[in-house]
Amino acid sequence: MSWMPFKIGQPKKQIVSKTVERDFEREYDKLQKLEDQTKKLHKDMKKSTEADIAMSKAAVKISGDLLSNPLCEQDQAFLESMTALDTAMKRMDSFNQEKVNQISKTVIDPLKKYSSVFPSLNMAVKRREQALQDYKRLQSKVEKYEEKEKTGPIMVKLHQAREELRPVREDFESKNKQLLDEMPKFYHSRIDYFQPSFEALIRAQVVYFTEMHNIFSELTDQIDQAGLTDEQRERENEAKLNELRALSIVADD
Amino acid sequence: MESPLSAESAPPTPAPRNHTPSPSPRAEARELRMEEKERTEEDPIYLSLLSEVSVFVEESAEDASEKAEEKAEEKAEEKAEERAEREAQRQLLATEELVYTERNYLRLLQVCNCTIRSNLQKLQPQLPNLDSMFLYIEEVIDMSGRLLSLLDQKQMTPHDPLFLETLCDAFLSLSTDMESAYKEYLVNYNTVTALENSYKQKDALWTEIVKVIKSSAPEVNAASLSFFLVMPVQRIARYPLLLQTVMKHTEPGHPAYSLLEQTAHTAIALNCRINEYKRFREVADKYKKTETLTIRDKMNRLNSHSIAKKTARLSQFIKHETGIAPKLVDEEFDALEGFFYLLENGITVLHENVETYLDHLQRFLNCRPEEFDLDMDGERPAICYKEIITALRQWILPTFEKRMRTLVHKPLCALRELLAGPRNLISKRLDKLLDYELIEEKPSLSYDEQAVANTYKTINTLLLNELPQFNGLALTLLWGMLGAFSCLHKDLAADMEQLFQGFTQQLPHGSLEPNAFWEWAECSVQEGARRLESLCWNVKDQLNAPIVQPLSPGSQKRLKVLTDKHGSGKIYQLTGHVVGSRDLDLSLNRGELVAIISEMDTRGDKRRWLVDAGGPRGYVPSSRLVRYHQVTMDPPPSPHLITTMDHAGGVRRHSYTPDVRRPSYTPDTPQPLLVRTMSMTVPCLQVLAGYDFRARSSHEVSLRAGEPIRVLEPHDKKGSCDWSLVEVRGQRGYVPSNYLTVMPTSTTPTAPYR
């Protein structure tokens, strides 16, 4: 595949045509890129799923810690609000878990399985390359004998060499053909293989966010002041903080 | 990137969707150059030069490596050029996609607004509220029209180098108006869907509507009004992605790059602001009429007295805990202090938890799974996924994060800092209290003691007055933050739901019920796994077929034992590892030799054969067995020819084929001799002398290499195969058998072997 400088043992006859070699390289390149992408996607999906789970658990902790603080017992309305918040967070966490499970089954596992094919494929390509080298070596040997004078021993040697060459050539040709057949097929198979994964990813998100919308709409009605814009909220927060700062018992920085 | 409007026939616009652009002059020149290169390397003159120079290997080694370097450099340059070409083409395609989809979008909106609308208006009975469905569509149509006319005015095509700049300029100049038009449309869209659902309730009416739609736009596969009306919702969200795709294939050095970047950012910011506006309007509209401020009322009730009262319980608690009441027990103060500490704890813990939460959110945002699309950018589900995740990661979640920080994290930080003051003061009061207790009983106090007493009393009073306010304000602040927290989640979910609209229609299985969908998904995944497994097997079996090695001494021994016992016709070889699963199954490695005892098991199953593995006996699957050929020790009935080949040893790798007709190789003597059997059907083989041989006795006859001979007996009087009785040049005598060779006489040497 790469240009070998003046190496003895290279046959003169072109064993594999340039177009075939180029096709082979192109197909193999595509597969190598696919392998790379599959691995990266698998890793990234795992990382993002982990972060997702951690976020959800952190949210549950927020509400859980608040609820367990005796502060809640000081005011009934506050207690009700905190209970509602806690319930909502726990429900969201269980939906999140469900979502993650579904994604695990329909996306992350298939990704892993798909990656596991590549080592065998790479090995097969290596074997083909080995076979090609053998083929070239034996082919050049045959050519060497073919050029010499046709004496008895030479004829014998030539015949032996041809005999040696034949199964090697056939082995290479069969490997070559099979790979040229299989590689594009495998590359194309990714579409059908991964379509359910992508659809499942989307669907899982849709379900999760629909639930989130329902749960938090209810909760917001219960515990939030209605009709506030972000600026209004900021202003209110700042006003309260300033009131606090105005107290003498609060340190002035 | 596919547009969502896929079910169309030939579009009227000039650029057909899947066309490959005609090669630019540069590309064509490259093609020519590549052809030239191919030609020189097969040039006969070049080749003969090659063979001449190959003799002087040492001298040319250096040149060779230099040339190799040059070649490698050239190749790298070529590759870089190729890549740049590809990127330029992709950029072109992405730009064309943007323009093409915009035209299509405009056309369909116009069809909807003009044809469908007028046809619907003719329906009897009149459709209620029909006009509110089309409330802002004209503004959106106008925007799209303006964008395209700005492009058309310049009379450029995407091939033009300045096209990108024109596109970006046009977009940027229209962005303010676009925001106004789209934000109203998006706010109104909820009304649209609600209205459509009300139409769907009446079957007869809905059928009529669908008929009108289908007849007005026959080339589009639409079955509802929302098919058309959702397009602006999708379009505005798609601009960032389209622009970013163009950017992805543009070199940073490109003159229009920074402009492109700016345009992409503007598109994202547009989406954020539109969403914000939508939220604001929804909230305002909902609460315009009813003043449900019960929460506010509740919070306002938290004033100083109520806190002091309500914390009476706490003082009891403290009393019980300490057992002995301190001499100066100020119940009210203790209650306030207790409340303060709980508040402090709550705020601190909340602050930490919120920071943890934001950390994880950031980690989530750092992942970019949408970048690895496995080259599936022609597939609908992959595209939808990419768009959804990009939107989530680029502006929906970042907006959520920003609001979290502004409305929850920042005030929480500030509040936490403010806790220090009261806390310090409370501990100072305690110190002063202890001091005070010591001197309190004294009838008269010295000046210093008086000062101590006053200090304590001042601090105590101050805290008693202000701590309730502090507690109350802090609590309401906290409560407000938590309300905001909930509201942010609600808004996040609403943004995502809006994003999802229209996507589920596009997915092949989007309309399935949840249970049915997950069943289908899991089945497909399992099916995929099965197919993958069988592919793996194929690859392992066929492509990695074991390479025949010369037998190891152990194998040779076993071969001899088995052949002696069972005969050479019964020897088989394992083509793969087998692991026994049932009682009498054997576990063997690939390449091991066995002798067949029976070609079926005791139940008559022909897939399990009973074999002798040179000691253990048991069953192996017959699919893993293949006939093993070796030299026959006993001479066959017909005159058979043994050929010997002088071989310099070494491991020879040949393909292993299970074809029965092929000879296999095995050395059967310690010398590196290879013996081969052939099936003799046609005597078109010729025995020749392989080497010169000088007869050393009268029993022997001399040979000259290459001369034909006739074998009379392939062994000597004692039966040893080392010598053969031959006739040559009319003489008879013995010659060493390994000096003989067989050659086919026909011109196609391989013919007899087939």
Side-chain angles (χ1 to χ4, degrees):
Chain A
M1 294 189 199
S2 55
W3 190 73
M4 290 200 214
F6 301 113
K7 200 167 176 189
I8 288 188
Q10 284 303 304
K12 308 216 181 122
K13 178 174 93 168
Q14 191 71 294
I15 289 186
V16 181
S17 78
K18 281 227 167 323
T19 30
V20 169
E21 202 55 45
R22 204 169 41 207
D23 282 345
F24 191 89
E25 258 196 80
R26 190 183 56 220
E27 289 299 322
Y28 189 48
D29 261 348
K30 282 204 307 214
L31 282 179
Q32 283 181 310
K33 261 193 241 139
L34 184 64
E35 177 178 12
D36 188 47
Q37 286 224 324
T38 317
K39 284 211 180 90
K40 288 203 179 119
L41 182 61
H42 181 230
K43 218 170 85 182
D44 231 48
M45 289 247 71
K46 267 179 77 177
K47 272 207 307 221
S48 96
T49 311
E50 278 165 14
D52 199 351
I53 295 177
M55 232 168 78
S56 197
K57 295 273 184 272
V60 169
K61 187 158 194 289
I62 285 178
S63 63
D65 283 345
L66 276 169
L67 192 59
S68 62
N69 190 320
L71 209 58
C72 291
E73 295 158 25
Q74 305 306 311
D75 186 286
Q76 188 58 27
F78 190 69
L79 175 64
E80 280 171 15
S81 296
M82 291 304 108
T83 314
L85 182 70
D86 191 51
T87 315
M89 289 304 172
K90 290 206 172 96
R91 280 176 71 196
M92 273 326 298
D93 189 43
S94 80
F95 280 120
N96 196 42
Q97 197 55 55
E98 217 181 281
K99 174 182 86 173
V100 162
N101 286 345
Q102 278 164 345
I103 290 185
S104 227
K105 261 192 292 187
T106 54
V107 182
I108 297 190
D109 282 346
L111 268 173
K112 189 146 169 251
K113 287 208 179 90
Y114 202 76
S115 295
S116 67
V117 174
F118 288 104
S120 314
L121 215 54
N122 289 336
M123 179 61 69
V125 170
K126 250 203 245 155
R127 292 281 172 93
R128 172 201 173 267
E129 180 62 20
Q130 281 173 350
L132 179 61
Q133 295 311 316
D134 281 349
Y135 183 13
K136 283 186 176 169
R137 185 171 51 85
L138 294 177
Q139 174 74 15
S140 68
K141 205 161 110 171
V142 164
E143 284 167 3
K144 188 178 80 174
Y145 285 130
E146 270 172 354
E147 288 178 357
K148 292 208 178 143
E149 255 184 43
K150 302 254 188 280
T151 65
I154 298 295
M155 288 306 288
V156 162
K157 284 207 174 76
L158 174 62
H159 174 58
Q160 291 167 9
R162 284 212 186 106
E163 282 310 302
E164 241 183 300
L165 172 66
R166 198 172 29 88
V168 173
R169 181 186 60 227
E170 275 154 11
D171 181 38
F172 168 75
E173 274 167 6
S174 102
K175 282 187 159 76
N176 192 46
K177 178 172 183 312
Q178 268 180 319
L179 276 173
L180 277 175
D181 265 347
E182 292 284 345
M183 288 201 290
K185 259 196 277 185
F186 178 61
Y187 185 74
H188 186 78
S189 78
R190 79 196 183 291
I191 296 181
D192 281 338
Y193 184 81
F194 283 117
Q195 173 167 322
S197 302
F198 281 116
E199 278 202 57
L201 263 174
I202 298 174
R203 190 66 178 248
Q205 306 274 23
V206 169
V207 165
Y208 176 70
F209 281 107
T210 313
E211 288 302 330
M212 190 192 263
H213 193 203
N214 291 339
I215 290 177
F216 281 103
S217 297
E218 234 182 272
L219 183 66
T220 312
D221 282 343
Q222 195 179 345
I223 77 171
D224 192 31
Q225 287 184 52
L228 288 182
T229 64
D230 280 9
E231 288 87 7
Q232 284 173 322
R233 284 187 208 265
E234 277 191 78
R235 263 183 274 134
E236 271 195 33
N237 285 343
E238 202 52 39
K240 291 217 168 59
L241 284 169
N242 284 335
E243 266 189 74
L244 282 170
R245 288 190 192 106
L247 291 175
S248 329
I249 62 174
V250 170
D252 259 344
D253 267 353
Chain B
M1 279 224 341
E2 259 195 6
S3 78
L5 324 160
S6 64
E8 301 175 10
S9 52
T13 53
R17 192 153 30 109
N18 288 324
H19 88 301
T20 48
S22 60
S24 62
R26 254 188 87 203
E28 279 179 309
R30 277 231 65 235
E31 288 282 331
L32 282 173
R33 261 185 283 138
M34 283 179 69
E35 282 176 29
E36 261 181 29
K37 258 206 174 61
E38 282 186 28
R39 251 181 280 138
T40 38
E41 281 175 327
E42 292 177 356
D43 196 336
I45 299 173
Y46 183 80
L47 284 175
S48 67
L49 205 65
L50 211 73
S51 60
E52 274 185 6
V53 179
S54 72
V55 176
F56 308 103
V57 163
E58 277 154 28
E59 277 182 83
S60 19
E62 248 179 50
D63 288 350
S65 61
E66 258 178 46
K67 280 222 168 173
E69 267 175 45
E70 271 177 35
K71 264 268 173 177
E73 268 175 40
E74 268 181 46
K75 264 228 158 179
E77 266 176 47
E78 266 178 45
K79 272 207 153 75
E81 265 183 46
E82 267 179 41
R83 224 177 329 144
E85 279 292 319
R86 270 204 301 273
E87 287 298 291
Q89 275 187 17
R90 287 215 182 111
Q91 183 205 60
L92 185 64
L93 276 172
T95 318
E96 284 179 337
E97 168 101 31
L98 209 163
V99 178
Y100 168 75
T101 49
E102 186 76 29
R103 288 195 208 277
N104 226 18
Y105 162 70
L106 178 61
R107 184 178 65 87
L108 284 168
L109 283 182
Q110 282 168 333
V111 162
C112 176
N113 194 34
C114 301
T115 322
I116 296 183
R117 185 177 186 176
S118 57
N119 286 343
L120 284 176
Q121 279 169 343
K122 295 189 200 139
L123 278 184
Q124 292 295 337
Q126 287 273 342
L127 285 169
N129 284 331
L130 185 61
D131 283 342
S132 62
M133 276 221 144
F134 297 92
L135 206 44
Y136 292 100
I137 197 172
E138 294 190 349
E139 283 85 341
V140 167
I141 288 178
D142 178 55
M143 283 317 310
S144 183
R146 278 163 69 186
L147 178 65
L148 286 172
S149 72
L150 276 178
L151 294 177
D152 290 338
Q153 268 173 23
K154 304 273 178 173
Q155 294 193 327
M156 284 199 263
T157 64
H159 287 267
D160 243 303
L162 285 177
F163 186 78
L164 262 182
E165 287 186 47
T166 318
L167 179 64
C168 293
D169 282 334
F171 194 89
L172 287 171
S173 69
L174 290 172
S175 64
T176 333
D177 291 343
M178 220 184 270
E179 189 178 332
S180 322
Y182 276 90
K183 77 182 182 191
E184 295 301 333
Y185 188 90
L186 253 68
V187 167
N188 190 49
Y189 187 68
N190 290 336
T191 324
V192 167
T193 36
L195 196 53
E196 191 179 45
N197 283 336
S198 78
Y199 289 165
K200 281 191 187 163
Q201 300 300 325
K202 313 179 194 140
D203 283 342
L205 182 64
W206 184 248
T207 336
E208 284 296 306
I209 293 176
V210 174
K211 253 200 268 178
V212 166
I213 293 172
K214 285 202 191 279
S215 62
S216 313
E219 77 281 10
V220 178
N221 190 15
S224 65
L225 273 172
S226 57
F227 178 91
F228 294 93
L229 295 172
V230 82
M231 284 181 195
V233 179
Q234 294 170 331
R235 187 73 190 166
I236 191 69
R238 190 163 280 152
Y239 282 126
L241 200 60
L242 288 170
L243 289 165
Q244 283 174 347
T245 313
V246 176
M247 230 170 85
K248 195 167 104 166
H249 298 298
T250 312
E251 292 290 306
H254 193 285
Y257 187 78
S258 57
L259 195 59
L260 197 53
E261 217 175 12
Q262 189 190 356
T263 317
H265 282 159
T266 309
I268 292 180
L270 218 90
N271 273 284
C272 287
R273 286 199 296 270
I274 292 178
N275 278 6
E276 215 179 304
Y277 178 74
K278 184 163 172 250
R279 266 196 294 275
F280 173 72
R281 283 286 303 272
E282 275 171 2
V283 158
D285 288 346
K286 184 172 171 190
Y287 291 102
K288 243 188 305 202
K289 295 170 194 149
T290 57
E291 291 277 315
T292 50
L293 298 171
T294 46
I295 305 292
R296 182 169 245 160
D297 290 344
K298 285 180 191 166
M299 288 208 279
N300 282 339
R301 275 190 258 126
L302 277 177
N303 55 33
S304 53
H305 290 308
S306 68
I307 287 183
K309 260 195 295 173
K310 286 177 184 187
T311 53
R313 243 182 294 162
L314 211 52
S315 68
Q316 285 300 101
F317 174 72
I318 291 171
K319 254 201 219 159
H320 289 156
E321 286 298 297
T322 53
I324 305 167
K327 233 168 147 192
L328 273 164
V329 98
D330 190 336
E331 282 188 13
E332 201 183 336
F333 184 83
D334 287 342
L336 285 173
E337 186 188 12
F339 193 94
F340 175 80
Y341 283 137
L342 291 179
L343 199 59
E344 185 184 26
N345 187 350
I347 289 173
T348 315
V349 165
L350 181 64
H351 184 241
E352 284 164 9
N353 287 345
V354 167
E355 289 204 324
T356 313
Y357 181 83
L358 287 171
D359 270 343
H360 293 307
L361 179 57
Q362 195 55 51
R363 263 175 57 207
F364 184 85
L365 282 174
N366 286 341
C367 298
R368 291 167 218 264
E370 75 275 11
E371 282 188 3
F372 313 113
D373 61 0
L374 307 178
D375 241 352
M376 280 175 65
D377 48 5
E379 295 299 309
R380 186 72 51 74
I383 295 176
C384 291
Y385 170 70
K386 196 169 179 172
E387 291 196 12
I388 290 172
I389 293 298
T390 308
L392 176 66
R393 221 172 48 77
Q394 289 200 343
W395 74 80
I396 296 184
L397 263 185
T399 310
F400 173 78
E401 196 210 1
K402 203 177 79 172
R403 293 174 80 203
M404 268 292 281
R405 285 191 189 274
T406 326
L407 300 178
V408 179
H409 186 247
K410 210 175 87 176
L412 205 49
C413 285
L415 187 57
R416 190 173 175 179
E417 281 172 15
L418 296 180
L419 291 168
R423 183 176 54 236
N424 291 341
L425 213 56
I426 288 173
S427 66
K428 218 192 261 180
R429 173 198 167 276
L430 190 59
D431 293 341
K432 298 297 170 197
L433 176 59
L434 293 172
D435 293 344
Y436 182 65
E437 276 176 354
L438 290 173
I439 61 169
E440 196 209 1
E441 294 305 314
K442 284 200 189 155
S444 70
L445 305 166
S446 71
Y447 186 70
D448 290 330
E449 289 165 341
Q450 197 68 18
V452 164
N454 283 339
T455 316
Y456 162 71
K457 286 196 184 128
T458 318
I459 297 180
N460 194 47
T461 318
L462 192 58
L463 282 170
L464 272 175
N465 282 341
E466 295 199 333
L467 212 45
Q469 286 180 59
F470 185 91
N471 288 347
L473 278 170
L475 192 60
T476 48
L477 205 50
L478 209 57
W479 202 338
M481 281 185 236
L482 295 167
F485 187 63
S486 167
C487 181
L488 294 184
H489 276 86
K490 182 188 80 164
D491 290 344
L492 169 67
D495 283 351
M496 285 305 283
E497 287 212 314
Q498 179 185 296
L499 183 68
F500 287 136
Q501 270 171 1
F503 277 121
T504 34
Q505 286 168 286
Q506 291 181 37
L507 297 177
H509 297 88
S511 48
L512 284 179
E513 284 302 310
N515 287 340
F517 176 83
W518 289 111
E519 242 185 79
W520 164 80
E522 285 177 23
C523 272
S524 309
V525 162
Q526 278 170 4
E527 175 68 35
R530 263 199 301 272
R531 270 193 244 128
L532 213 58
E533 237 189 274
S534 72
L535 170 77
C536 240
W537 256 127
N538 282 347
V539 170
K540 283 203 177 105
D541 263 355
Q542 291 164 17
L543 299 176
N544 294 343
I547 307 170
V548 167
Q549 312 271 354
L551 284 183
S552 62
S555 296
Q556 289 177 38
K557 240 189 258 171
R558 187 194 286 193
L559 179 63
K560 185 158 172 27
V561 162
L562 289 176
T563 318
D564 285 348
K565 213 172 184 181
H566 302 274
S568 58
K570 295 270 197 277
I571 308 293
Y572 279 66
Q573 191 174 34
L574 271 292
T575 59
H577 298 317
V578 291
V579 175
S581 52
R582 281 144 73 172
D583 256 356
L584 292 169
D585 281 359
L586 291 178
S587 296
L588 298 171
N589 292 326
R590 186 204 280 156
E592 281 195 53
L593 296 169
V594 298
I596 304 294
I597 301 174
S598 161
E599 285 186 19
M600 64 169 109
D601 68 6
T602 49
R603 290 196 217 138
D605 184 357
K606 293 222 164 118
R607 294 164 305 169
R608 269 176 104 213
W609 288 4
L610 182 60
V611 303
D612 178 355
R617 289 181 170 215
Y619 290 99
V620 294
S622 61
S623 57
R624 293 267 184 273
L625 292 172
V626 86
R627 188 84 198 283
Y628 187 79
H629 293 271
Q630 47 168 324
V631 66
T632 49
M633 290 303 167
D634 21 51
S638 60
H640 96 166
L641 303 153
I642 306 173
T643 67
T644 61
M645 281 200 276
D646 192 25
H647 183 68
V651 172
R652 299 168 50 143
R653 294 192 306 238
H654 296 277
S655 70
Y656 178 97
T657 52
D659 188 342
V660 175
R661 287 168 302 166
R662 293 201 188 290
S664 56
Y665 296 87
T666 159
D668 74 338
T669 61
Q671 286 174 349
L673 285 178
L674 256 65
V675 180
R676 185 159 50 136
T677 57
M678 295 162 288
S679 48
M680 262 280 303
T681 46
V682 182
C684 47
L685 299 162
Q686 173 79 47
V687 185
L688 308 172
Y691 310 92
D692 287 346
F693 174 69
R694 185 161 322 154
R696 298 167 300 185
S697 73
S698 57
H699 303 286
E700 302 167 8
V701 66
S702 297
L703 292 179
R704 270 205 304 272
E707 60 178 348
I709 61 152
R710 202 167 83 115
V711 174
L712 301 173
E713 277 176 7
H715 54 81
D716 69 4
K717 289 256 165 49
K718 292 191 199 127
S720 158
C721 289
D722 289 340
W723 293 90
S724 296
L725 182 61
V726 306
E727 187 181 302
V728 62
R729 295 183 310 273
Q731 298 173 354
R732 289 186 178 200
Y734 285 98
V735 297
S737 304
N738 55 358
Y739 274 55
L740 300 174
T741 185
V742 175
M743 282 276 292
T745 51
S746 55
T747 49
T748 52
T750 60
Y753 296 97
R754 289 242 162 253

